[in-house]
Amino acid sequence: MDDQLAALEAEVERRAAQVKTPGDLETLRTDILGRKGGRLSQVMAGLGKVPKEERAEFGRRANETKARIEARFAQAELRLGDAELERSLSQRFDLTFPGIPPRRGSLHILRQTLDDVAAFFRKRGFAIVFGPEVESEYYNFEAMNIPADHPARDAMDTFYLASGGLLRTHTSPMQVRAMEEYPPPIAILVPGRAYRRDALDARHAFAFHQFEGLQIDRGITFGHLKGFVSDLCRTLYGNERRTRFRPSYFQFTEPSAEVDVSCPVCDGSGCRTCGGSGWLEMGGSGMVHPHVLKSAGYDPEIYTGWAFGLGIERIAMVRNGVDDIRLFTENDPAFLEQFA
Ligand code: DAH
């Protein structure tokens, strides 16, 4: 019977330590100490079979065991009480307390700018296509009517790769790639990164973003180009902005024109932002040169088209009053969060 008492005590010790709720503890207590059918009572019922001379000694030990079991339950009760108290305290929070707002990410201002441009083109049925940043001399220059040894290649300050290719200096090479892939008519927007060996300053970056617009069909004229670009500039800068086409020269367009927008800072009267001219240069444009159409396998006797290329950083700077192109890549939250 001593063994039975010891086993019961050991069991109580083990189970009391595992009990998780006051309800479970109560069930365990009844199971062990219950007056009718409790496990301790069952052991005690065997008292009659113990030899007379040992009975007193056994009764004493049984009472000691019972006292230790009760102490064990009291201890478990305290433990559960503490846990319960802690739980109820932690649930009691002040709903009127200001919360801690989670920090949300947002699109980079260059991405937002490009999204606005893309929405404009998409509405007009243009497809958006992307080209490789590692480009061949053929597509970057040759197909764009810039032959080897032409000084325009120097003007582009190209990064040449040891492997033989180059980092594209503009998004224009996609004109020919796209025309090779799709038969006319074609209307595409080509956003992407371009690279030039420019020294980094407030206006120049060696990696920057451009987008190219291209539309080729029968009967496309310079008027279509003017209408499209003017409309885009009004959408990007507001209805008050005027657009100006200044005669220029690009190898891949004929005629060629530089696109200027009236300065949003001084509205054309001349200020520091526009260098006193009242106009901001946005990019190049023109009617696609017959040589370029031919390179792509389009018949220049049947098809004509316009193309233009604008800088995304430039647009973002003018629209948001950003005066240093380096801010776009410095990842300073104080700058980026202004556009969140
Ligand atoms: N590719 C020229 C550059 O990066 C910009 C340009 C000029 C693009 C005239 C055109 C264009 O599509 O027609 O400087």
Side-chain angles (χ1 to χ4, degrees), residues 119-130:
F120 179 90
F121 276 81
R122 228 184 248 121
K123 253 190 214 161
R124 287 155 182 80
F126 280 62
I128 300 179
V129 296
F130 301 91

PDB file of all heavy atoms in Angstrom, residues 119-130:
ATOM      1  N   ALA A 119      -0.423  55.290 -68.976  1.00  0.00           N
ATOM      2  CA  ALA A 119      -1.894  55.380 -69.018  1.00  0.00           C
ATOM      3  C   ALA A 119      -2.322  56.200 -70.237  1.00  0.00           C
ATOM      4  O   ALA A 119      -3.297  55.869 -70.922  1.00  0.00           O
ATOM      5  CB  ALA A 119      -2.421  56.014 -67.736  1.00  0.00           C
ATOM      6  N   PHE A 120      -1.564  57.266 -70.513  1.00  0.00           N
ATOM      7  CA  PHE A 120      -1.879  58.123 -71.662  1.00  0.00           C
ATOM      8  C   PHE A 120      -1.783  57.333 -72.975  1.00  0.00           C
ATOM      9  O   PHE A 120      -2.667  57.388 -73.813  1.00  0.00           O
ATOM     10  CB  PHE A 120      -0.898  59.308 -71.683  1.00  0.00           C
ATOM     11  CG  PHE A 120      -1.100  60.249 -72.838  1.00  0.00           C
ATOM     12  CD1 PHE A 120      -1.964  61.335 -72.733  1.00  0.00           C
ATOM     13  CD2 PHE A 120      -0.419  60.060 -74.043  1.00  0.00           C
ATOM     14  CE1 PHE A 120      -2.152  62.200 -73.803  1.00  0.00           C
ATOM     15  CE2 PHE A 120      -0.603  60.927 -75.111  1.00  0.00           C
ATOM     16  CZ  PHE A 120      -1.468  61.999 -74.984  1.00  0.00           C
ATOM     17  N   PHE A 121      -0.703  56.590 -73.111  1.00  0.00           N
ATOM     18  CA  PHE A 121      -0.499  55.810 -74.347  1.00  0.00           C
ATOM     19  C   PHE A 121      -1.517  54.674 -74.455  1.00  0.00           C
ATOM     20  O   PHE A 121      -2.044  54.392 -75.530  1.00  0.00           O
ATOM     21  CB  PHE A 121       0.919  55.219 -74.382  1.00  0.00           C
ATOM     22  CG  PHE A 121       1.963  56.172 -74.904  1.00  0.00           C
ATOM     23  CD1 PHE A 121       2.519  57.140 -74.076  1.00  0.00           C
ATOM     24  CD2 PHE A 121       2.404  56.101 -76.217  1.00  0.00           C
ATOM     25  CE1 PHE A 121       3.489  58.017 -74.553  1.00  0.00           C
ATOM     26  CE2 PHE A 121       3.378  56.970 -76.708  1.00  0.00           C
ATOM     27  CZ  PHE A 121       3.923  57.938 -75.870  1.00  0.00           C
ATOM     28  N   ARG A 122      -1.775  54.031 -73.325  1.00  0.00           N
ATOM     29  CA  ARG A 122      -2.681  52.884 -73.339  1.00  0.00           C
ATOM     30  C   ARG A 122      -4.072  53.297 -73.799  1.00  0.00           C
ATOM     31  O   ARG A 122      -4.712  52.617 -74.579  1.00  0.00           O
ATOM     32  CB  ARG A 122      -2.744  52.255 -71.946  1.00  0.00           C
ATOM     33  CG  ARG A 122      -2.567  50.758 -71.989  1.00  0.00           C
ATOM     34  CD  ARG A 122      -2.726  50.139 -70.628  1.00  0.00           C
ATOM     35  NE  ARG A 122      -1.467  49.602 -70.152  1.00  0.00           N
ATOM     36  CZ  ARG A 122      -0.878  49.990 -69.028  1.00  0.00           C
ATOM     37  NH1 ARG A 122      -1.430  50.892 -68.251  1.00  0.00           N
ATOM     38  NH2 ARG A 122       0.251  49.443 -68.667  1.00  0.00           N
ATOM     39  N   LYS A 123      -4.526  54.455 -73.299  1.00  0.00           N
ATOM     40  CA  LYS A 123      -5.847  54.969 -73.675  1.00  0.00           C
ATOM     41  C   LYS A 123      -5.964  55.161 -75.176  1.00  0.00           C
ATOM     42  O   LYS A 123      -7.047  55.109 -75.735  1.00  0.00           O
ATOM     43  CB  LYS A 123      -6.061  56.337 -73.017  1.00  0.00           C
ATOM     44  CG  LYS A 123      -7.025  56.329 -71.866  1.00  0.00           C
ATOM     45  CD  LYS A 123      -7.327  57.762 -71.474  1.00  0.00           C
ATOM     46  CE  LYS A 123      -7.544  57.851 -69.979  1.00  0.00           C
ATOM     47  NZ  LYS A 123      -7.409  59.213 -69.484  1.00  0.00           N
ATOM     48  N   ARG A 124      -4.831  55.406 -75.816  1.00  0.00           N
ATOM     49  CA  ARG A 124      -4.839  55.655 -77.261  1.00  0.00           C
ATOM     50  C   ARG A 124      -4.489  54.412 -78.067  1.00  0.00           C
ATOM     51  O   ARG A 124      -4.170  54.505 -79.250  1.00  0.00           O
ATOM     52  CB  ARG A 124      -3.894  56.817 -77.571  1.00  0.00           C
ATOM     53  CG  ARG A 124      -4.507  58.134 -77.105  1.00  0.00           C
ATOM     54  CD  ARG A 124      -3.499  59.206 -76.814  1.00  0.00           C
ATOM     55  NE  ARG A 124      -4.175  60.414 -76.334  1.00  0.00           N
ATOM     56  CZ  ARG A 124      -4.598  60.568 -75.077  1.00  0.00           C
ATOM     57  NH1 ARG A 124      -4.405  59.623 -74.186  1.00  0.00           N
ATOM     58  NH2 ARG A 124      -5.220  61.681 -74.722  1.00  0.00           N
ATOM     59  N   GLY A 125      -4.511  53.277 -77.398  1.00  0.00           N
ATOM     60  CA  GLY A 125      -4.353  52.007 -78.107  1.00  0.00           C
ATOM     61  C   GLY A 125      -2.929  51.592 -78.381  1.00  0.00           C
ATOM     62  O   GLY A 125      -2.690  50.697 -79.189  1.00  0.00           O
ATOM     63  N   PHE A 126      -1.961  52.228 -77.720  1.00  0.00           N
ATOM     64  CA  PHE A 126      -0.561  51.849 -77.936  1.00  0.00           C
ATOM     65  C   PHE A 126      -0.207  50.603 -77.123  1.00  0.00           C
ATOM     66  O   PHE A 126      -0.665  50.437 -76.001  1.00  0.00           O
ATOM     67  CB  PHE A 126       0.378  52.997 -77.517  1.00  0.00           C
ATOM     68  CG  PHE A 126       0.481  54.083 -78.553  1.00  0.00           C
ATOM     69  CD1 PHE A 126      -0.640  54.815 -78.926  1.00  0.00           C
ATOM     70  CD2 PHE A 126       1.693  54.367 -79.170  1.00  0.00           C
ATOM     71  CE1 PHE A 126      -0.562  55.814 -79.887  1.00  0.00           C
ATOM     72  CE2 PHE A 126       1.784  55.362 -80.134  1.00  0.00           C
ATOM     73  CZ  PHE A 126       0.656  56.094 -80.493  1.00  0.00           C
ATOM     74  N   ALA A 127       0.629  49.750 -77.711  1.00  0.00           N
ATOM     75  CA  ALA A 127       1.148  48.591 -76.973  1.00  0.00           C
ATOM     76  C   ALA A 127       2.413  49.024 -76.244  1.00  0.00           C
ATOM     77  O   ALA A 127       3.146  49.892 -76.727  1.00  0.00           O
ATOM     78  CB  ALA A 127       1.458  47.449 -77.932  1.00  0.00           C
ATOM     79  N   ILE A 128       2.643  48.441 -75.076  1.00  0.00           N
ATOM     80  CA  ILE A 128       3.860  48.750 -74.323  1.00  0.00           C
ATOM     81  C   ILE A 128       4.834  47.598 -74.502  1.00  0.00           C
ATOM     82  O   ILE A 128       4.500  46.449 -74.221  1.00  0.00           O
ATOM     83  CB  ILE A 128       3.539  48.969 -72.838  1.00  0.00           C
ATOM     84  CG1 ILE A 128       2.549  50.130 -72.719  1.00  0.00           C
ATOM     85  CG2 ILE A 128       4.804  49.248 -72.042  1.00  0.00           C
ATOM     86  CD1 ILE A 128       2.113  50.445 -71.319  1.00  0.00           C
ATOM     87  N   VAL A 129       6.021  47.902 -75.020  1.00  0.00           N
ATOM     88  CA  VAL A 129       7.019  46.850 -75.242  1.00  0.00           C
ATOM     89  C   VAL A 129       8.348  47.256 -74.602  1.00  0.00           C
ATOM     90  O   VAL A 129       8.609  48.442 -74.382  1.00  0.00           O
ATOM     91  CB  VAL A 129       7.232  46.561 -76.750  1.00  0.00           C
ATOM     92  CG1 VAL A 129       5.965  46.014 -77.369  1.00  0.00           C
ATOM     93  CG2 VAL A 129       7.696  47.810 -77.475  1.00  0.00           C
ATOM     94  N   PHE A 130       9.144  46.251 -74.289  1.00  0.00           N
ATOM     95  CA  PHE A 130      10.431  46.495 -73.630  1.00  0.00           C
ATOM     96  C   PHE A 130      11.552  45.879 -74.451  1.00  0.00           C
ATOM     97  O   PHE A 130      11.355  44.865 -75.112  1.00  0.00           O
ATOM     98  CB  PHE A 130      10.437  45.876 -72.230  1.00  0.00           C
ATOM     99  CG  PHE A 130       9.357  46.424 -71.351  1.00  0.00           C
ATOM    100  CD1 PHE A 130       8.112  45.808 -71.305  1.00  0.00           C
ATOM    101  CD2 PHE A 130       9.566  47.562 -70.591  1.00  0.00           C
ATOM    102  CE1 PHE A 130       7.088  46.307 -70.501  1.00  0.00           C
ATOM    103  CE2 PHE A 130       8.557  48.066 -69.780  1.00  0.00           C
ATOM    104  CZ  PHE A 130       7.321  47.444 -69.733  1.00  0.00           C
TER     105      PHE A 130
END
